[in-house]
Amino acid sequence: MLRAASPYLVLVLLVLGTRLIPPVADALGSVVVEWETGLGFSGSVQPLSHPAMLLTVAFAARAVLQRTSGRDAAHAIVTATRQLGPVLVALVAMITIARTMSHAGMTNELAFAAAGIRAAWPLLSPAVGAFGTFVTGSATASNVLFTELQATTARAAELPTLPLLGAQGFGASAGNIICPHNIVAAVATVGLTGQEGRVLRSIFPLAALYVTLGGLLAFAFAQWLG
């Protein structure tokens, strides 16, 4: 049993070690690969602390600790790579749409239009956070896009800021369960590629209920603190 669990134990240790031990985190994070397309798009990645690297090391540890033959390891790599093909196409499409909306200002325009409801804004604050995660594929990106909007709206409507910022983070986290990016990755993991629409339809009502309850809670806090 211990041998079977070894890859997961290695992965947990790697995650904890690369995040919680400052010298290790600093050393790994010092290696940065940056790029720029020349069209205003740029990015960077820290390859040594990236989850992909940690998963690769965990896979190698599994092969060593479980004494997997080179042939079996190669077969696993080839099989996984073939399964990633359709997933990669879908993920690139989703990310392209999200980045286009972000750089074109479309996402912000939609959110600013919704901010006109003023006093009732706390009810929709989590929905904006969830929307941001839905289109960007990341709760962090949603917070980057809309945190300033939430704070500005709070000041303009003379509402307490903290409940709206909390609602933004809450909604952004809730949006992960309906984010196409995450659904595509999840169904591929369990061998259900092609069932993304069915999965989204089944979990959307739950996400809507979750966001609604968060909005009611944010509204109650805003009224209490206001």
Side-chain angles (χ1 to χ4, degrees), residues 53-65:
M53 177 62 72
L54 303 185
L55 289 170
T56 301
V57 173
F59 173 81
R62 181 265 182 191
V64 173
L65 295 175

Side-chain angles (χ1 to χ4, degrees), residues 20-215:
L20 300 181
I21 302 177
V24 175
D26 293 341
L28 296 179
S30 64
V31 179
V32 181
V33 177
E34 300 179 337
W35 65 88
E36 185 171 351
T37 64
L39 299 175
F41 294 92
S42 61
S44 64
V45 65
Q46 297 172 313
L48 297 184
S49 59
H50 193 275
M53 177 62 72
L54 303 185
L55 289 170
T56 301
V57 173
F59 173 81
R62 181 265 182 191
V64 173
L65 295 175
Q66 297 184 358
R67 299 178 182 177
T68 303
S69 67
R71 181 177 180 180
D72 289 341
H75 176 71
I77 294 173
V78 172
T79 300
T81 302
R82 288 176 177 173
Q83 292 175 342
L84 286 176
V87 178
L88 181 61
V89 173
L91 291 180
V92 169
M94 292 297 175
I95 293 173
T96 300
I97 293 173
R99 299 306 297 172
T100 299
M101 292 182 67
S102 176
H103 284 274
M106 297 165 63
T107 304
N108 279 339
E109 286 298 324
L110 289 172
F112 277 117
I117 64 173
R118 300 294 180 179
W121 177 251
L123 294 171
L124 291 183
S125 290
V128 172
F131 172 75
T133 301
F134 179 83
V135 298
T136 65
S138 166
T140 300
S142 175
N143 289 332
V144 169
L145 286 172
F146 295 130
T147 294
E148 182 60 29
L149 169 63
Q150 300 281 8
T152 302
T153 303
R155 291 190 293 268
E158 297 183 350
L159 295 169
T161 302
L162 289 180
L164 296 188
L165 296 182
Q168 164 63 34
F170 174 88
S173 298
N176 275 305
I177 65 176
I178 57 171
C179 169
H181 181 105
N182 291 340
I183 292 175
V184 169
V187 298
T189 301
V190 297
L192 293 177
T193 300
Q195 300 295 317
E196 291 85 357
R198 179 182 176 186
V199 172
L200 178 58
R201 287 192 298 271
S202 66
I203 63 177
F204 187 83
L206 179 62
L209 175 62
Y210 195 57
V211 169
T212 300
L213 293 175

